[in-house]
Coordinates of all heavy atoms in Angstrom, one line a residue:
T99 N 0.8 -1.2 0.0 CA 0.0 0.0 0.0 C 0.8 1.2 0.0 O 1.8 1.3 0.8 CB -0.9 0.0 1.3 OG1 -1.7 -1.2 1.3 CG2 -1.8 1.3 1.3
C100 N 0.6 2.2 -0.9 CA 1.4 3.4 -1.0 C 0.7 4.5 -0.1 O -0.5 4.7 -0.3 CB 1.5 3.8 -2.5 SG 2.4 5.2 -2.7
I101 N 1.5 5.3 0.6 CA 1.0 6.4 1.3 C 1.7 7.6 0.7 O 2.9 7.9 1.1 CB 1.3 6.3 2.8 CG1 0.6 5.0 3.3 CG2 0.8 7.5 3.6 CD1 1.1 4.5 4.7
P102 N 1.1 8.4 -0.1 CA 1.8 9.7 -0.5 C 1.7 10.8 0.5 O 0.8 10.9 1.3 CB 0.9 10.1 -1.7 CG -0.5 9.5 -1.4 CD -0.3 8.3 -0.7
L103 N 2.9 11.5 0.6 CA 3.0 12.6 1.5 C 3.4 13.9 0.8 O 4.4 13.8 0.0 CB 4.1 12.2 2.7 CG 4.4 13.4 3.6 CD1 3.1 13.6 4.5 CD2 5.5 12.9 4.5
T104 N 2.7 14.9 1.0 CA 2.9 16.2 0.4 C 3.4 17.2 1.5 O 2.6 17.2 2.4 CB 1.7 16.8 -0.4 OG1 1.2 15.8 -1.3 CG2 2.0 18.1 -1.0
T105 N 4.5 17.7 1.3 CA 5.0 18.6 2.4 C 5.2 20.0 1.8 O 5.5 20.1 0.7 CB 6.3 18.0 3.0 OG1 6.7 18.9 4.1 CG2 7.4 17.8 2.0
D106 N 5.1 21.0 2.7 CA 5.4 22.4 2.3 C 6.7 22.9 2.7 O 6.9 24.0 2.6 CB 4.2 23.3 2.8 CG 4.2 23.2 4.3 OD1 5.0 22.5 4.9 OD2 3.3 23.9 4.9
G107 N 7.7 22.0 3.0 CA 9.0 22.4 3.4 C 9.6 21.3 4.1 O 9.1 20.1 4.2
E108 N 10.7 21.6 4.9 CA 11.4 20.6 5.7 C 10.6 20.4 6.9 O 10.3 21.3 7.7 CB 12.8 21.1 5.9 CG 13.7 20.1 6.6 CD 15.1 20.7 6.7 OE1 15.7 21.2 5.7 OE2 15.7 20.6 7.9
N109 N 10.4 19.1 7.3 CA 9.6 18.7 8.4 C 10.2 17.4 9.1 O 10.6 16.5 8.3 CB 8.2 18.4 8.2 CG 7.4 19.6 7.8 OD1 7.2 20.6 8.6 ND2 7.0 19.7 6.4
N110 N 10.2 17.3 10.4 CA 10.5 16.1 11.0 C 9.3 15.4 11.3 O 8.3 16.0 11.9 CB 11.2 16.3 12.4 CG 12.7 16.7 12.2 OD1 13.4 16.0 11.5 ND2 13.1 17.8 12.8
I111 N 9.1 14.2 10.9 CA 7.8 13.5 11.0 C 8.0 12.1 11.5 O 9.1 11.6 11.6 CB 7.1 13.4 9.7 CG1 7.9 12.5 8.7 CG2 6.8 14.7 9.0 CD1 7.1 11.7 7.6
R112 N 6.9 11.5 12.0 CA 6.9 10.1 12.4 C 5.6 9.5 11.8 O 4.5 10.1 11.9 CB 6.8 10.0 13.9 CG 6.9 8.6 14.4 CD 7.1 8.6 16.0 NE 7.3 7.3 16.5 CZ 8.5 6.9 16.7 NH1 9.6 7.5 16.4 NH2 8.6 5.6 17.1
L113 N 5.7 8.4 11.0 CA 4.6 7.8 10.3 C 4.5 6.4 10.9 O 5.4 5.5 10.9 CB 4.9 7.7 8.8 CG 3.9 7.3 7.9 CD1 2.6 8.3 8.0 CD2 4.3 7.3 6.5
E114 N 3.3 6.1 11.5 CA 3.1 4.8 12.2 C 1.9 4.1 11.8 O 0.9 4.7 11.5 CB 3.0 5.0 13.8 CG 4.3 5.6 14.2 CD 4.2 6.1 15.7 OE1 3.2 6.8 16.0 OE2 5.0 5.6 16.5
L115 N 1.9 2.8 11.8 CA 0.7 1.9 11.6 C 0.1 1.5 12.9 O 1.0 0.9 13.7 CB 1.2 0.8 10.7 CG 0.1 -0.3 10.5 CD1 -1.0 0.3 9.5 CD2 0.7 -1.5 9.7
L116 N -1.1 1.7 13.2 CA -1.7 1.4 14.4 C -2.8 0.4 14.2 O -3.5 0.3 13.2 CB -2.4 2.7 15.1 CG -1.7 3.9 15.2 CD1 -2.4 5.1 15.7 CD2 -0.4 3.7 16.0
N117 N -3.0 -0.5 15.2 CA -4.0 -1.5 15.2 C -5.4 -0.8 15.5 O -5.4 0.3 16.0 CB -3.7 -2.8 16.0 CG -3.7 -2.5 17.4 OD1 -4.1 -1.5 18.0 ND2 -3.1 -3.4 18.2
P118 N -6.6 -1.5 15.5 CA -7.8 -0.9 16.0 C -7.9 -0.5 17.4 O -8.6 0.4 17.7 CB -8.8 -1.9 15.7 CG -8.2 -2.8 14.7 CD -6.7 -2.9 14.9
K119 N -7.0 -1.0 18.2 CA -6.9 -0.5 19.7 C -6.1 0.7 19.7 O -5.9 1.2 20.9 CB -6.4 -1.6 20.5 CG -7.3 -2.8 20.6 CD -6.7 -3.9 21.4 CE -7.7 -5.1 21.5 NZ -7.1 -6.2 22.3
G120 N -5.4 1.2 18.7 CA -4.5 2.3 18.8 C -3.1 2.0 19.2 O -2.3 3.0 19.5
Q121 N -2.7 0.8 19.2 CA -1.4 0.3 19.6 C -0.5 0.3 18.3 O -1.0 0.0 17.2 CB -1.4 -1.0 20.2 CG -2.2 -1.2 21.4 CD -2.5 -2.6 21.8 OE1 -2.8 -3.4 20.9 NE2 -2.5 -2.9 23.1
V122 N 0.7 0.8 18.5 CA 1.7 0.9 17.3 C 2.1 -0.5 16.9 O 2.6 -1.2 17.7 CB 2.9 1.8 17.6 CG1 3.9 1.8 16.4 CG2 2.5 3.1 18.0
I123 N 1.8 -0.9 15.6 CA 2.3 -2.1 15.1 C 3.7 -1.9 14.4 O 4.5 -2.9 14.6 CB 1.3 -2.6 14.0 CG1 -0.1 -2.9 14.6 CG2 1.8 -3.8 13.3 CD1 -1.2 -3.2 13.7
E124 N 3.8 -0.8 13.7 CA 5.0 -0.6 13.0 C 5.3 0.9 12.8 O 4.3 1.6 12.7 CB 4.9 -1.2 11.6 CG 6.1 -1.0 10.7 CD 5.9 -1.6 9.3 OE1 4.9 -2.2 9.0 OE2 6.7 -1.2 8.4
T125 N 6.6 1.3 13.0 CA 6.9 2.6 12.7 C 7.5 2.6 11.2 O 8.4 2.0 10.9 CB 8.0 3.2 13.5 OG1 7.5 3.2 15.0 CG2 8.5 4.5 13.2
I126 N 6.7 3.3 10.3 CA 7.0 3.2 8.9 C 8.2 4.1 8.6 O 9.1 3.7 7.8 CB 5.8 3.5 8.2 CG1 4.6 2.6 8.5 CG2 6.1 3.7 6.6 CD1 3.2 3.2 8.1
Y127 N 8.2 5.3 9.2 CA 9.2 6.2 9.0 C 9.4 7.2 10.2 O 8.4 7.6 10.8 CB 9.1 7.0 7.7 CG 10.2 8.0 7.4 CD1 11.3 7.6 6.8 CD2 10.0 9.4 7.7 CE1 12.4 8.5 6.5 CE2 11.1 10.3 7.5 CZ 12.3 9.8 6.9 OH 13.2 10.6 6.6
S128 N 10.6 7.6 10.5 CA 10.8 8.5 11.6 C 12.0 9.3 11.1 O 13.1 8.8 11.0 CB 11.0 7.9 12.9 OG 11.2 8.9 13.9
G129 N 11.8 10.6 10.9 CA 13.0 11.4 10.5 C 12.5 12.6 9.7 O 11.4 13.0 9.7
K130 N 13.5 13.3 9.0 CA 13.3 14.5 8.3 C 12.8 14.2 6.9 O 13.3 13.3 6.2 CB 14.6 15.2 8.2 CG 14.4 16.7 7.8 CD 15.8 17.4 7.8 CE 16.1 17.7 9.2 NZ 17.3 18.5 9.5
V131 N 11.8 15.0 6.4 CA 11.3 15.0 5.1 C 11.4 16.3 4.5 O 11.0 17.3 5.1 CB 9.8 14.5 5.1 CG1 9.2 14.6 3.7 CG2 9.7 13.1 5.7
I132 N 12.1 16.4 3.3 CA 12.5 17.7 2.7 C 11.5 18.0 1.6 O 11.2 19.1 1.3 CB 13.9 17.8 2.3 CG1 14.8 17.6 3.5 CG2 14.2 19.0 1.6 CD1 16.2 17.4 3.2
R133 N 11.0 16.9 0.9 CA 10.2 17.2 -0.3 C 9.1 16.1 -0.3 O 9.1 15.1 0.5 CB 11.0 17.1 -1.5 CG 11.7 15.8 -1.8 CD 12.6 15.8 -3.0 NE 13.2 14.5 -3.3 CZ 14.1 14.0 -2.6 NH1 14.7 14.6 -1.6 NH2 14.7 12.8 -3.0
D134 N 8.1 16.1 -1.2 CA 7.0 15.2 -1.3 C 7.7 13.8 -1.6 O 8.7 13.7 -2.3 CB 6.1 15.5 -2.5 CG 5.5 16.9 -2.4 OD1 5.6 17.4 -1.2 OD2 4.8 17.4 -3.3
R135 N 7.1 12.8 -1.0 CA 7.6 11.4 -1.2 C 6.5 10.4 -0.9 O 5.5 10.7 -0.3 CB 8.9 11.1 -0.5 CG 8.8 11.0 1.0 CD 10.0 10.7 1.7 NE 10.4 9.3 1.6 CZ 11.4 8.8 2.3 NH1 12.1 9.5 3.0 NH2 11.6 7.5 2.2
N136 N 6.7 9.2 -1.3 CA 5.8 8.1 -1.1 C 6.4 7.2 -0.1 O 7.6 6.9 -0.1 CB 5.4 7.3 -2.4 CG 4.7 8.1 -3.4 OD1 3.8 8.9 -3.0 ND2 5.0 8.0 -4.6
F137 N 5.5 6.6 0.8 CA 5.9 5.6 1.7 C 5.2 4.3 1.5 O 4.0 4.5 1.0 CB 5.7 6.0 3.1 CG 6.5 7.2 3.6 CD1 6.0 8.5 3.5 CD2 7.8 7.0 4.1 CE1 6.8 9.6 3.8 CE2 8.6 8.1 4.5 CZ 8.0 9.4 4.3
F138 N 5.8 3.2 1.7 CA 5.1 1.9 1.4 C 4.9 1.1 2.6 O 5.9 1.0 3.4 CB 5.9 1.2 0.3 CG 5.9 1.9 -1.0 CD1 6.9 2.8 -1.4 CD2 4.7 1.8 -2.0 CE1 6.8 3.5 -2.6 CE2 4.8 2.4 -3.2 CZ 5.8 3.3 -3.4
V139 N 3.7 0.5 2.8 CA 3.4 -0.4 3.9 C 3.1 -1.8 3.3 O 2.2 -1.9 2.4 CB 2.2 0.1 4.6 CG1 1.8 -0.9 5.8 CG2 2.4 1.5 5.2
N140 N 3.8 -2.8 3.8 CA 3.5 -4.2 3.3 C 2.4 -4.7 4.2 O 2.5 -4.9 5.4 CB 4.7 -5.0 3.5 CG 4.5 -6.4 3.1 OD1 3.5 -6.8 2.7 ND2 5.6 -7.3 3.2
T141 N 1.2 -4.8 3.5 CA 0.0 -5.3 4.2 C -0.3 -6.8 4.0 O -1.2 -7.3 4.6 CB -1.2 -4.5 3.8 OG1 -1.4 -4.8 2.4 CG2 -1.1 -3.1 4.1
S142 N 0.7 -7.5 3.4 CA 0.4 -9.0 3.1 C 0.4 -9.8 4.4 O -0.2 -10.9 4.4 CB 1.5 -9.4 2.2 OG 2.8 -9.4 2.8
E143 N 1.0 -9.4 5.4 CA 1.1 -10.2 6.7 C 0.0 -9.7 7.7 O 0.0 -10.2 8.9 CB 2.4 -10.2 7.2 CG 3.5 -10.9 6.3 CD 4.9 -11.0 6.8 OE1 5.0 -10.8 8.1 OE2 5.8 -11.2 6.1
L144 N -0.7 -8.7 7.4 CA -1.7 -8.1 8.3 C -3.0 -8.9 8.2 O -3.4 -9.3 7.0 CB -1.9 -6.7 8.1 CG -0.8 -5.8 8.3 CD1 -1.2 -4.3 7.9 CD2 -0.4 -5.7 9.7
S145 N -3.7 -9.1 9.2 CA -5.1 -9.8 9.2 C -6.0 -8.7 8.6 O -5.9 -7.5 8.7 CB -5.6 -10.0 10.7 OG -4.7 -11.0 11.3
S146 N -7.1 -9.2 8.0 CA -8.1 -8.3 7.5 C -8.7 -7.4 8.6 O -8.9 -7.9 9.7 CB -9.3 -9.1 6.8 OG -8.8 -9.9 5.7
G147 N -9.0 -6.2 8.2 CA -9.5 -5.3 9.1 C -9.2 -3.9 8.9 O -8.7 -3.6 7.9
V148 N -9.6 -3.0 9.8 CA -9.4 -1.6 9.7 C -8.2 -1.2 10.6 O -8.1 -1.6 11.8 CB -10.5 -0.8 10.2 CG1 -10.3 0.7 10.1 CG2 -11.8 -1.2 9.3
Y149 N -7.2 -0.5 10.0 CA -6.0 0.0 10.8 C -5.9 1.5 10.6 O -6.7 2.0 9.8 CB -4.7 -0.6 10.2 CG -4.7 -2.1 10.3 CD1 -5.3 -2.9 9.5 CD2 -4.0 -2.6 11.4 CE1 -5.3 -4.4 9.6 CE2 -4.0 -4.0 11.5 CZ -4.6 -4.9 10.7 OH -4.5 -6.2 10.9
L150 N -5.1 2.1 11.3 CA -4.9 3.6 11.1 C -3.4 3.9 10.8 O -2.5 3.3 11.3 CB -5.3 4.3 12.5 CG -6.7 4.3 12.9 CD1 -6.9 4.9 14.3 CD2 -7.5 5.1 11.9
I151 N -3.3 4.9 10.0 CA -1.9 5.5 9.8 C -1.9 6.8 10.5 O -2.8 7.6 10.3 CB -1.8 5.8 8.3 CG1 -1.9 4.4 7.4 CG2 -0.5 6.4 8.0 CD1 -0.8 3.4 7.7
L152 N -0.9 6.9 11.3 CA -0.7 8.2 12.1 C 0.5 8.8 11.6 O 1.6 8.3 11.6 CB -0.6 7.9 13.6 CG -0.1 9.0 14.5 CD1 -1.2 10.1 14.5 CD2 0.1 8.5 16.0
L153 N 0.2 10.1 11.2 CA 1.4 11.0 10.8 C 1.5 12.0 11.9 O 0.6 12.8 12.1 CB 1.1 11.6 9.4 CG 2.0 12.7 9.0 CD1 3.4 12.2 8.8 CD2 1.5 13.5 7.7
S154 N 2.7 12.1 12.5 CA 2.9 13.1 13.6 C 4.0 14.0 13.2 O 5.0 13.6 12.7 CB 3.3 12.4 14.9 OG 2.4 11.5 15.3
S155 N 3.9 15.3 13.5 CA 5.0 16.3 13.4 C 4.9 17.1 14.6 O 4.2 16.7 15.6 CB 4.8 17.3 12.1 OG 3.7 18.0 12.3
S156 N 5.8 18.1 14.8 CA 5.9 18.8 16.0 C 4.7 19.4 16.4 O 4.4 19.7 17.6 CB 7.2 19.8 15.9 OG 6.9 20.7 14.9
D157 N 3.9 19.9 15.4 CA 2.6 20.6 15.8 C 1.3 20.0 15.3 O 0.2 20.6 15.4 CB 2.8 22.1 15.1 CG 2.9 22.1 13.7 OD1 3.2 21.1 13.1 OD2 2.7 23.2 13.1
K158 N 1.3 18.8 14.7 CA 0.1 18.2 14.0 C 0.2 16.7 14.3 O 1.2 16.0 14.2 CB 0.0 18.5 12.5 CG -0.2 19.9 12.2 CD -0.4 20.1 10.7 CE -0.4 21.5 10.3 NZ -0.5 21.7 8.9
K159 N -1.1 16.1 14.3 CA -1.3 14.7 14.3 C -2.4 14.4 13.2 O -3.5 15.0 13.4 CB -1.7 14.1 15.6 CG -0.5 14.0 16.5 CD -0.8 13.2 17.7 CE 0.4 13.1 18.6 NZ 0.2 12.3 19.8
L160 N -2.1 13.7 12.3 CA -3.2 13.4 11.2 C -3.3 11.9 11.2 O -2.4 11.1 11.2 CB -2.8 13.9 9.9 CG -2.5 15.3 9.7 CD1 -1.9 15.6 8.3 CD2 -3.8 16.1 10.0
F161 N -4.6 11.4 11.1 CA -5.0 10.0 11.1 C -5.6 9.7 9.7 O -6.4 10.5 9.2 CB -5.9 9.6 12.1 CG -5.4 9.7 13.5 CD1 -5.5 10.8 14.2 CD2 -4.8 8.5 14.0 CE1 -5.0 10.8 15.6 CE2 -4.3 8.5 15.3 CZ -4.4 9.7 16.1
Q162 N -5.3 8.5 9.1 CA -6.0 8.1 7.9 C -6.3 6.6 8.1 O -5.5 5.8 8.6 CB -5.1 8.2 6.7 CG -5.7 7.7 5.4 CD -4.8 8.0 4.2 OE1 -3.9 8.8 4.2 NE2 -5.1 7.2 3.2
K163 N -7.5 6.3 7.7 CA -7.9 4.8 7.8 C -7.3 4.0 6.7 O -7.2 4.4 5.5 CB -9.5 4.8 7.7 CG -10.0 3.5 8.1 CD -11.6 3.4 7.8 CE -12.3 4.5 8.4 NZ -13.8 4.4 8.3
L164 N -6.9 2.8 7.0 CA -6.3 1.9 6.1 C -7.2 0.5 6.2 O -7.2 0.0 7.3 CB -4.9 1.6 6.4 CG -4.3 0.5 5.6 CD1 -4.1 0.8 4.1 CD2 -2.9 0.2 6.1
I165 N -7.8 0.1 5.2 CA -8.6 -1.1 5.2 C -7.8 -2.2 4.6 O -7.5 -2.0 3.3 CB -10.0 -0.9 4.5 CG1 -10.8 0.2 5.3 CG2 -10.7 -2.2 4.5 CD1 -12.1 0.5 4.7
V166 N -7.6 -3.4 5.2 CA -7.0 -4.4 4.7 C -8.0 -5.5 4.4 O -8.7 -5.9 5.3 CB -5.9 -5.0 5.6 CG1 -5.1 -6.2 5.1 CG2 -4.8 -3.8 5.9
R167 N -8.0 -6.1 3.2 CA -8.9 -7.2 2.8 C -8.3 -8.4 2.7 O -7.3 -8.5 2.3 CB -9.7 -6.7 1.5 CG -10.5 -5.5 1.7 CD -11.1 -5.1 0.4 NE -11.6 -3.8 0.4 CZ -12.8 -3.4 0.8 NH1 -13.6 -4.3 1.2 NH2 -13.1 -2.1 0.7

C-alpha cells in the first residue's frame, strides 16, 4: 500500500501503523522529510480489518484509515 506525503517544506515526521486498539504495530518512518515522497506499507502479513496510519509532526497529528482485505 502506498502512502503519498505532500509537504510544504522541511519537516521532522513520524509515520506509524496502528491496530484498531490504537497500539503501534510498526513505525514506517521517523525522520526528516524535505520534499514530497511516497511511503510503502507491506499489508500482506496483516489480518483483514481496519487500521490507522498516524502522521505526527511537532505541531500536528493526522490520522488516515487503512482497510486491509
Side-chain angles (χ1 to χ4, degrees):
T99 301
C100 179
I101 303 167
L103 176 66
T104 303
T105 182
D106 57 359
E108 188 174 310
N109 293 291
N110 284 312
I111 66 155
R112 186 172 186 93
L113 191 61
E114 298 172 309
L115 177 64
L116 310 177
N117 68 14
K119 295 180 181 179
Q121 300 165 322
V122 177
I123 297 173
E124 177 185 353
T125 298
I126 301 163
Y127 181 80
S128 180
K130 192 176 288 189
V131 176
I132 299 171
R133 62 185 184 285
D134 299 350
R135 69 181 279 191
N136 293 320
F137 295 93
F138 295 91
V139 179
N140 181 359
T141 59
S142 65
E143 296 183 16
L144 295 175
S145 300
S146 296
V148 178
Y149 296 85
L150 292 173
I151 302 292
L152 170 60
L153 172 64
S154 304
S155 67
S156 60
D157 63 342
K158 293 181 186 176
K159 286 190 178 186
L160 302 171
F161 292 90
Q162 181 175 337
K163 190 185 310 184
L164 173 67
I165 299 173
V166 177
R167 298 181 195 265

